[in-house]
Amino acid sequence: MSLTQLPAWQALSAAAAQLTATPLAACLDDDERNRQLRLQLNGCHFDFTRQRLNREVIAHLLSLAEQTAVADKTRHMLSGDVINASEQRAVLHTALRGGAQVDTATRQAVEDVQKQLNDVAAQIRGGRWLGFSGKAITDVVHIGIGGSHLGPELAVEALSGYHSSALRLHFIANIDANIFHRVLHGLNPETTLFIIASKSFGTLETKQNALSARSWFIERTNALAGVSRHFIGVTSNVPAAVEFGLDAANLFPMWDWVGGRYSLWSAVGLPLLLAIGEDQFSRFLAGARQADEHLLQASAAANLPTLSALIATWNYNFLGAGSLAVLCYDERLRLLPDYLQQLEMESNGKSVTVDGEKVDYHTMPVLWGGVGTNGQHAYHQLLHQGTRAYTADFILVAGDDRNMRDHHHWLLANALGQSQAMALGFAAAADEPHRHVPGNHPTTTIVLDELSPATLGTLLALYEHKVFCQGAIWNINSFDQWGVELGKELAIPIHAQLSGTVCGEAPGEDSRTAQDPATQGLIDHIKSRH
Ligand code: F6P
């Protein structure tokens, strides 16, 4: 039976018609409901009370979880079934933190790679990994994009309070030469180590940046033989990495059952391991493992990922929310919206079911966000008085690490004030319509006790599992990303025209392949300005 025909879906449609006439404030007036909507896990407090739903809706949502078999699908994922059907792969990133049931050989392979990573990280952190001229490493440049970049950079920045080595960590993702130059400017090649992270080892940006980094190194050192002391790689395609020129002894493997956007827990997380060391990194993994155990064990009503996904479904499919704003009231989480954009939109921005049928309901809307309080002075105007329905996640950290109480209390007070305004609005006098704030916008508030490796691990893994539960409800494959391929292919003949390297033509000739008039016009314009 299709999703929209399920009894729970139909019941939710009927409930939505009624509830849109009920103000959010009225929903809040129910202690039992509010109690059900406050849940904790490992120092992460989730408050869903400012969602626009009542006990009846919660009951229908829980039935939806049952009717879409979320718990069964969870068991399939965690026991290594091939749930990524379009790529014929299991989905076992949870095995990287001990949260899945895998065979002994797989568990051993994961442990071996982690041990290898810990050894290398200890050498680099301890100044025992020497560059070609005998000097210790001072700067590490991580080159990767998408899932091979967003997680490590976010985690390194978020856990700045736990950095325990003098190493400076840098990131290059984009193919734009501006970032390449900004990062490498002033670095000493004798003391710089590059990590080339690419699951496929076929990604254009990463390969081009790696090539340029290699040239940068050789031009400045003249030490071709020194490359192996300055380049290490992370990939599931070892032959391609070796063919590219990386030394097999410096490669950390990944497995095809780890999706790129779920790979922070693998060797892709090496920058974080370098920054915080083995003990804290193992706390990060343990925090994520707690989320895995929670996903498997907690009943749907008390299951954070399941409930988050159900509430998101309610907002997107029944209340018409067209975007999810992630509003981080902590500068250290500045990069979280970028990371979640890939996690949620690349996973669940799909139009067909797992069986290839076209969906007749909306899937993932746009996720965006930023840091509070800055956003209040930029886009919150639209959130308070704009015309579109949306939902938001507020993320706060209760602990005051900087010991500046005034700043911290104002920061938190602003976060709570914003979500209060979004929920309750303000009824202005009739002659002041410009002051009217409609309210009734559903939001979730997540309060971390502190921002530590353990709480960050739990938070990120809970978001991963929310995405999984959401895909389970929508009956889509959250683990492939075929939509990104077309643009990559189209760029190839365009690049050939821009660079004058169309097959069979001499470089620099005015080479043309068949392009639509708009593309050709832009190519011609750009070439005329070169
Ligand atoms: O283009 C999208 C994508 O394939 C992501 O799914 C992935 O995280 C990113 O590119 C990088 O891929 P890789 O790690 O294989 O270089």
Side-chain angles (χ1 to χ4, degrees), residues 403-427:
N403 208 14
M404 289 175 80
R405 291 245 134 174
D406 278 351
H407 284 252
H408 199 59
H409 286 160
W410 274 120
L411 181 69
L412 301 185
N414 270 280
L416 299 187
Q418 290 296 314
S419 54
Q420 189 176 43
M422 288 171 192
L424 306 181
F426 171 70

Side-chain angles (χ1 to χ4, degrees), residues 144-149 197-206 234-236 254 259-263 268 342 346 480-481 484-485 488:
I145 198 163
S148 297
H149 159 244
S198 175
K199 182 184 168 190
S200 60
F201 225 90
T203 304
L204 169 80
E205 292 90 334
T206 303
V234 176
T235 188
S236 66
M254 286 170 72
R261 53 193 174 272
Y262 299 86
S263 65
V268 167
Q342 189 200 17
E346 198 172 79
D480 61 9
Q481 57 286 317
V484 302
E485 297 306 324
K488 291 182 191 174

